[in-house]
Amino acid sequence: MSWTFIVSLLWGLWGTVVLSALTFLFGGIFGFIIAIARISPLRAVSAITAGYIAFMQGLPLLVLMGLCFFGPGIFGYDSLTPLQAATFALTLYASAYLGEIWRGCLQSVAKPQWEAAECLGLTKWQRMRTVILPQALRIATPPTVGFMVQIIKNTSIASLVVGYAELSYNAKIINNSTFQPFLYFGIAALMYFAVCYPLSVQSRALERKLNVANR
């Protein structure tokens, strides 16, 4: 086992963390917009976002990433870098799922809470910010943390399509040089586990602490 290869795996892990963080940042922003649009009283807005969610959830992430990477070149635009293409594809993917998760959490807040906030004379955004979001946040935290684990694992698809140097990509390159797949893919698996398992544990702990199902 070479320490040079271990350092390469650590750099790959860093690439995975960077891509995951960018995905959750931008996917979270667009996901929140989608969640708000889904509960809009305007039927056209709600229908459009519902269609977007259905389309993105029905499209394989591998295909979506290929479209984001090769698509601009087909139409004569400069191709995106591997990181840009992977971030864009995962952002679209994450926004659809997070938007639907958060839409359900917003709508799970009891209807009397919405009505009481309206009776206080608060504006729509004041009601959302001061009354609804604090309650929805408690409900949304466990599934959101759980989805973060899925994002981290799905970053490995970026190596298959766009050649982004994340953890699984570096493990594959090292294996091609050493022909020791069990060793280096095993180390990569442990690194994924070291990142994902604490998040999974935290998700279950939050779910038990909040006891959302019984509230």
Side-chain angles (χ1 to χ4, degrees):
M1 182 173 64
S2 170
W3 285 108
T4 301
F5 293 146
I6 298 299
V7 171
S8 178
L9 290 175
L10 289 173
W11 274 112
L13 179 62
W14 172 248
T16 294
V17 171
V18 169
L19 180 55
S20 300
L22 290 174
T23 297
F24 193 73
L25 172 63
F26 295 115
I29 292 172
F30 289 111
F32 181 73
I33 294 172
I34 289 170
I36 295 298
R38 276 289 282 123
I39 62 175
S40 170
L42 300 176
R43 291 186 177 182
V45 174
S46 179
I48 290 171
T49 50
Y52 169 83
I53 290 171
F55 179 76
M56 286 300 168
Q57 291 185 350
L59 192 65
L61 181 55
L62 190 70
V63 174
L64 178 60
M65 201 163 290
L67 291 174
C68 292
F69 186 62
F70 298 107
I74 295 176
F75 295 100
Y77 297 99
D78 293 336
S79 298
L80 300 177
T81 66
L83 178 59
Q84 289 172 339
T87 300
F88 186 45
L90 283 167
T91 293
L92 295 176
Y93 170 84
S95 66
Y97 282 90
L98 288 174
E100 190 66 1
I101 290 171
W102 293 343
R103 187 273 308 167
C105 294
L106 289 170
Q107 291 186 326
S108 68
V109 175
K111 188 176 180 180
Q113 295 292 320
W114 294 78
E115 295 171 345
E118 187 175 0
C119 290
L120 291 174
L122 301 176
T123 66
K124 178 179 178 180
W125 293 110
Q126 286 176 330
R127 294 197 302 267
M128 184 64 65
R129 187 181 70 253
T130 60
V131 179
I132 306 304
L133 282 180
Q135 297 180 70
L137 180 63
R138 300 179 63 190
I139 304 170
T141 298
T144 301
V145 175
F147 186 73
M148 288 175 62
V149 175
Q150 299 300 318
I151 291 177
I152 293 170
K153 292 188 290 187
N154 283 331
T155 58
S156 61
I157 297 177
S159 67
L160 300 176
V161 182
V162 305
Y164 176 66
E166 44 76 58
L167 180 54
S168 63
Y169 179 86
N170 283 12
K172 180 178 68 175
I173 295 300
I174 293 171
N175 175 62
N176 292 341
S177 300
T178 62
F179 300 102
Q180 295 179 293
F182 184 80
L183 175 61
Y184 290 104
F185 279 114
I187 295 173
L190 290 175
M191 289 182 175
Y192 276 117
F193 180 79
V195 175
C196 293
Y197 183 70
L199 289 175
S200 299
V201 171
Q202 184 65 18
S203 177
R204 290 194 295 270
L206 285 170
E207 190 169 7
R208 289 193 299 269
K209 181 179 180 180
L210 298 176
N211 195 21
V212 171
N214 296 324
R215 290 179 185 271

